[in-house]
Amino acid sequence: MSTSSEQWLTPAQYRQRAIATALALVLFAGVLILLYVFWWRPWSIQRDRLQSLQERRARVEAVLNSRPAIETALRGAELAANRDPLLFPEPTRDQAIAGMMQRIQERVTSIGDEGKHCRIDSQNPVTANQTADPQRIAVNLRLHCGNSEWLQFAQAVESARPAMFIDELNITAPSEQSNGMSSAQQGALDIGLTVYGFLRNAEPKVDVRP
């Protein structure tokens, strides 16, 4: 059998081939690390940044595109509020409370007939530090009214514009009088209540910043 074509490696040659193989693997791993650090990682960071910028631009464009619709809706809401105002239009809290008290007085004098009317015994505004809502204004009232006049007054208040609401209602029935004398206020209800409403908010502004 001929062995001229066979190459037999010596131990030294085996060691050299193993070292060369290890060096090749180390070199390959080093190339991969360098590619990751100097190419793949920067490219990934730039790609994520570009995607973030594109998403931000899309949000900004969506807000800008919706601005005309928002402004139209706000103008419509303002016109509707001016036509049928639910909030008190006065610019300050004190003026709004004065306006509320004047409206209450007007409603008291507008109800009743044949000498039967409500009477305001006391009318005291609620101060700002007594309410948790800065937009809320209120007046504490004490009235003397007949039953029919009281119902008319309550309906007139809660159907008013600007809107007013009744709260903390306390009604005491009249005491019986034994002397048989009658008067305009005999049989009137003693009524304690709070009438409240809300100030108009400041004009809203559209913020188109992202």
Side-chain angles (χ1 to χ4, degrees):
M1 183 176 60
S2 175
T3 60
S4 58
S5 59
E6 296 179 357
Q7 299 293 329
W8 300 98
L9 300 177
T10 64
Q13 291 174 327
Y14 274 114
R15 287 194 296 273
Q16 291 175 357
R17 189 171 68 176
I19 292 172
T21 302
L23 290 175
L25 292 174
V26 170
L27 180 62
F28 181 71
V31 171
L32 290 179
I33 292 172
L34 292 174
L35 287 174
Y36 172 78
V37 172
F38 294 103
W39 178 72
W40 176 260
R41 185 177 179 184
W43 179 82
S44 298
I45 293 173
Q46 292 299 324
R47 181 194 60 185
D48 294 342
R49 182 181 179 186
L50 179 61
Q51 289 179 347
S52 177
L53 291 174
Q54 289 175 339
E55 292 174 357
R56 182 179 179 183
R57 179 180 178 181
R59 291 195 299 269
V60 172
E61 289 178 348
V63 172
L64 292 175
N65 292 334
S66 64
R67 178 173 181 173
I70 294 174
E71 291 179 340
T72 300
L74 289 175
R75 286 194 295 268
E78 184 176 359
L79 290 174
N82 291 332
R83 287 194 302 268
D84 187 17
L86 296 177
L87 304 177
F88 281 80
E90 287 83 1
T92 68
R93 183 182 185 88
D94 291 341
Q95 291 176 348
I97 290 177
M100 172 183 281
M101 296 172 71
Q102 179 63 32
R103 292 178 179 94
I104 291 172
Q105 181 65 50
E106 292 172 354
R107 279 153 182 81
V108 167
T109 57
S110 67
I111 63 174
D113 53 12
E114 298 180 357
K116 295 181 180 180
H117 297 278
C118 286
R119 185 187 74 208
I120 299 177
D121 288 344
S122 64
Q123 187 173 204
N124 302 309
V126 177
T127 60
N129 57 5
Q130 292 177 312
T131 177
D133 187 351
Q135 300 301 120
R136 188 177 188 268
I137 57 173
V139 175
N140 293 327
L141 293 175
R142 186 175 178 184
L143 304 174
H144 271 81
C145 289
N147 186 62
S148 175
E149 290 74 32
W150 155 244
L151 293 177
Q152 293 177 51
F153 172 77
Q155 182 179 7
V157 167
E158 296 209 329
S159 62
R161 292 296 181 271
M164 295 187 290
F165 308 93
I166 293 175
D167 193 13
E168 301 179 7
L169 179 62
N170 183 20
I171 300 178
T172 303
S175 59
E176 296 183 358
Q177 297 186 10
S178 58
N179 55 14
M181 296 179 63
S182 62
S183 67
Q185 291 300 319
Q186 183 177 349
L189 301 174
D190 185 3
I191 304 169
L193 71 155
T194 298
V195 179
Y196 69 93
F198 295 92
L199 294 170
R200 179 174 296 179
N201 292 325
E203 181 179 0
K205 297 180 180 181
V206 179
D207 188 356
V208 298
R209 291 178 298 177

